[in-house]
């Protein structure tokens, strides 16, 4: 019997390097955001709220990261998956802790999800741009 | 005076047989899902998360089973019941612990609900197919 | 930079074998209990409520398993750790989702925690005895 | 009429410098902890979970920081304030989000609280020692 499976989980070192990069990109864009990193199991690893970033985004950033860890897809992909089916369109967005708008991405190494990042506080496009800048830190 | 009424409640034995069948069907379909069985009173009886199944579906599977136990109808039937009435369409999906999309079914014996099953983690169609496979275990 | 660390996570196969053994032991003892297995990250993997087991124990069994996964020690060890310090004795037990009484154990393979088991519904001694019986299934 | 009062709120820059120092001290002590920094309003500013730190401490660290921000005293001071009054001793610890054991401290500049730090995952003494090391970063 296989007793366990091997899982890869993001280190604090990578999480912090990603947060550094995210903050740098946000400053370039002139916005203040919240950034959350979760491990592959959806537990909080690292978090930063930039000075002046919106308070509600403390939670939104975490839910975006959690959603991306929990379903292994970018949060911005959800709408296309549910838009044609009215049951899903009216039902799925009520799932607690699920964000279905852009700004959450899985963090992958060698094809495996090791964690996730969520950014909230600017426009959806800017939140996603900040995520992508942070993901460039990850070596594959 | 009638002092009590007799309620039929699913056994652990049937719940486990249904979970076995659900896991077998999920493997046939090549998907990893969460499966929850609740009794007729909406209390958790049995649960399995297949290796690699999405984390958010731990809760979704339980909410589907709870909804099916609580209203005695498949969760996928809700949309047709509310779609013509905008108050219901925009209000009902906010009900805590109610899932209005497919993948939750009551378990009936001799016309009576003895429990419910909820499956989450694959497409709505696959989640429902896995439920139906599990329901075939029930003898009527 | 180390980007990830390798973690071992319990399989559904081992979780189910442990639940089988737990139920067998509970029947030997003539008690009905709730049994929860979580993975090493504190996410629910598998659960069974025996026929007639107490309803509040649905949650207690899960909190015991969660606590054992989250702190890597048996839940029954907490009291000795806090009893001499009145701040801890009056404060720690209020931690949400922490159980400080017996019936939760980490599941270890090769010295690493791969998950945890929690049992609730009988006496503290019986809950622990059922856990230990289930842990015998684990090969080291 | 005074229309507003000026509030001093910790910057992300100081929060991160404190977290760096806290992680350095934890490594010296050979422990893995969770560290949370909140602003003076009790909103999360910055957070780190060291590799291998206990999961339940994700929440405990935040509750310690919140408690210290909310009442402007170290969390370890609570017990002496309530121990002589049985109503307080048995009542106060039930307050949601209040931690009454050591490991949470307000962050003060020029006599004013600008935020708070909470550490959880090691012994009470070590958690407090890590907080104090981080507080040395603050210039007064």
């Amino acid at each position: 019997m296989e007793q366990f499976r091997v899982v890869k989980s993001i280190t604090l070192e990578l999480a912090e390097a990603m947060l550094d990069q995210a903050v740098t990109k946000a400053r370039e864009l002139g916005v203040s955001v919240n950034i959350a990193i979760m491990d592959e199991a959806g537990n909080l690893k690292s978090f930063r709220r930039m000075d002046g970033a919106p308070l509600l985004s403390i939670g939104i950033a975490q839910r975006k990261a959690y959603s991306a860890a929990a379903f292994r897809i970018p949060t911005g992909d959800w709408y296309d998956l549910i838009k044609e089916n009215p049951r899903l369109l009216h039902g799925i967005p009520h799932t607690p802790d699920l964000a279905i708008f852009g700004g959450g991405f899985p963090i992958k190494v060698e094809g495996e999800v090791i964690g996730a990042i969520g950014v909230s506080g600017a426009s959806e496009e800017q939140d996603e741009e900040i995520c992508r800048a942070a993901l460039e830190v990850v070596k594959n």
Side-chain angles (χ1 to χ4, degrees), chain A:
Chain A
M1 187 202 319
E2 292 286 346
Q3 296 198 117
F4 57 82
R5 57 200 191 93
V6 170
V7 174
K8 291 173 179 151
S9 186
I10 189 168
T11 58
L12 180 59
E13 193 177 2
L14 177 55
E16 288 296 308
M18 291 180 69
L19 287 180
D20 286 344
Q21 188 62 21
V23 168
T24 300
K25 171 56 75 175
R27 284 185 183 138
E28 273 176 41
L29 296 172
V31 295
S32 289
V33 295
N34 293 263
I35 315 142
I37 308 270
M38 302 236 168
D39 64 21
E40 95 297 339
N43 289 311
L44 188 63
K45 189 80 189 173
S46 222
F47 175 88
R48 292 189 201 167
R49 174 160 52 97
M50 294 173 68
D51 299 336
L55 295 179
L56 256 171
S57 292
I58 297 171
I60 298 173
Q62 293 185 57
R63 284 190 289 280
K64 285 180 180 176
Y66 181 73
S67 301
F71 275 107
R72 271 56 177 147
I73 58 171
T75 55
D77 287 4
W78 270 99
Y79 185 72
D80 283 345
L81 295 175
I82 65 178
K83 69 183 176 190
E84 309 288 354
N85 179 331
R87 287 182 302 277
L88 298 180
L89 182 60
H90 286 86
I92 288 283
H94 296 278
T95 306
D97 298 324
L98 175 65
I100 65 151
F101 42 102
F105 288 85
I107 303 165
K108 293 185 188 180
V109 171
E110 298 159 18
E112 279 181 63
V113 174
I114 64 168
I117 183 170
V119 171
S120 179
S123 73
E124 189 187 39
E125 291 71 23
Q126 290 170 321
D127 288 346
E128 291 194 323
E129 192 174 343
I130 293 166
C131 287
R132 283 194 208 96
L135 287 165
E136 284 173 16
V137 176
V138 185
K139 298 250 177 325
N140 264 295

